[in-house]
């Protein structure tokens, strides 16, 4: 499987997944189990994705101090109710500064 | 929010090229997949040397949350035919958040269209800029761009974490599952596995 095939599969699949939600019969949404699942799945996936992108490297656990500091800065910005852009900028700036300071 | 997505777009373009994708490959993903988390997941797994099939499957499972968004948006948008085919491409985190925050269906539809249009243009232009710029810049880590993706996910997650202890517990379990599984499974799979934490919470 070449990289282009993976990209094509992801593009087609992502579109199909979006369309499936819009086109699904209304009954599906009325089911309380589906509603609850719809609320919970993104929370689990996003939390896992943050952990994997910040604390793993090449298939192993790895704490990158600069990236961890950047995520911490984002959390502080969110606690202070900063706008979305400030949260992202804080993460990038703190990560970059930490890399300079830590060499 | 457009600026923030722009920053994410630059970060994605940079991450994609760093992971070994070409500039056209990064741009095709942003044009056609148009769902940041899945794009980051695929390039992350490719960069980590993961199996392409597992990487694609992982990114697709992450994209399945858009199906759930679509279910919630279908009632608000009430689109049919060609308009539904176009609107489908816009069913993502940001458009869903904006639409669901509106007081009535008309405002929700207007919010969806405005958010979709502006983010689609911004995301694609900044992906191009990030991917192209990285060819000259070299390592995007110097600018801390590798922290932008996780920070964006945290910002999306934050209001849900604030809404109650149950969702905080779920997030903690998902993190633990993903980190514990990472040494044993190909990149992309541990994130999928963390969705199993949902079944545990639902079963209680």
């Amino acid at each position: 499987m070449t990289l282009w095939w993976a990209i094509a599969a992801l593009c087609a699949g992502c579109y199909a997944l979006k369309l499936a939600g819009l086109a699904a019969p209304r009954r599906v949404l009325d089911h309380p189990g589906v509603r609850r699942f719809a609320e919970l799945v993104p929370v689990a996936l996003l939390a896992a994705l943050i952990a994997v992108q910040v604390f793993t490297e090449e298939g192993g656990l790895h704490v990158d101090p600069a990236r961890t500091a950047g995520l911490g800065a984002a959390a502080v910005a969110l606690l202070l109710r900063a706008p979305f852009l400030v949260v992202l900028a804080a993460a990038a700036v703190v990560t970059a500064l930490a890399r300079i300071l830590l060499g | 929010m457009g600026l923030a997505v722009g920053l994410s777009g630059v970060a994605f373009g940079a991450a994609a090229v760093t992971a070994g994708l070409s500039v056209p490959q990064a741009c095709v993903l942003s044009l056609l997949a148009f769902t940041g988390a899945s794009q980051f997941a695929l390039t992350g797994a490719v960069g980590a040397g993961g199996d392409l099939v597992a990487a694609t499957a992982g990114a697709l499972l992450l994209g399945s949350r858009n199906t759930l968004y679509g279910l919630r948006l279908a009632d608000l948008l009430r689109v049919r035919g060609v308009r539904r085919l176009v609107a489908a491409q816009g069913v993502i985190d940001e458009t869903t958040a904006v639409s669901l925050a509106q007081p009535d269906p008309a405002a929700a539809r207007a919010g969806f269209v405005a958010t979709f249009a502006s983010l689609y243009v911004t995301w694609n232009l900044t992906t191009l800029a990030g991917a192209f710029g990285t060819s000259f810049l070299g390592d995007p880590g110097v600018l801390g761009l590798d922290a932008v993706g996780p920070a964006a996910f945290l910002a999306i997650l934050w209001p849900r974490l604030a809404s109650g202890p149950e969702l905080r517990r779920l997030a903690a379990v998902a993190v633990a599952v993903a980190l514990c599984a990472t040494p044993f499974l190909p990149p992309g799979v541990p994130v999928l596995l963390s969705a199993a934490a949902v079944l545990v919470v639902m079963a209680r």
Side-chain angles (χ1 to χ4, degrees), chain A residues 5-54:
Chain A
W5 277 111
I7 289 168
L10 183 64
C11 291
C14 281
Y15 180 73
L17 287 167
K18 292 172 181 176
L19 186 61
L22 272 189
R26 288 196 55 188
R27 295 196 312 281
V28 177
L29 188 59
D30 292 337
H31 193 285
V34 172
R35 259 178 198 279
R36 195 146 157 67
F37 195 70
E39 275 176 1
L40 296 179
V41 163
V43 172
L45 287 179
L46 288 168
L49 207 66
I50 294 167
V52 165
Q53 292 195 352
V54 176

Side-chain angles (χ1 to χ4, degrees), chain B residues 6-115:
Chain B
L7 188 55
S8 303
V10 172
F12 170 70
V17 169
T18 309
L21 276 74
S22 66
V23 176
Q25 284 170 333
C27 290
V28 164
L29 275 175
S30 281
L31 283 166
L32 299 182
F34 188 57
T35 177
S38 297
Q39 295 177 226
F40 270 113
L42 180 73
T43 53
V46 168
D51 174 59
L52 280 179
V53 176
T56 309
L60 277 174
L61 247 127
L62 200 61
S64 69
R65 101 191 161 290
N66 291 330
T67 307
L68 306 170
Y69 293 154
L71 284 171
R72 296 178 75 171
L73 286 177
D75 264 4
L76 281 175
L77 299 178
R78 295 189 180 282
V79 280
R80 292 276 175 277
V82 179
R83 293 176 66 187
R84 181 197 270 164
L85 294 179
V86 175
Q89 182 70 328
V91 177
I92 54 171
D93 294 305
E94 293 85 352
T95 52
T96 305
V98 168
S99 304
L100 294 180
Q102 303 307 314
D104 59 81
R109 275 193 291 275
F112 178 86
V113 171
T115 313

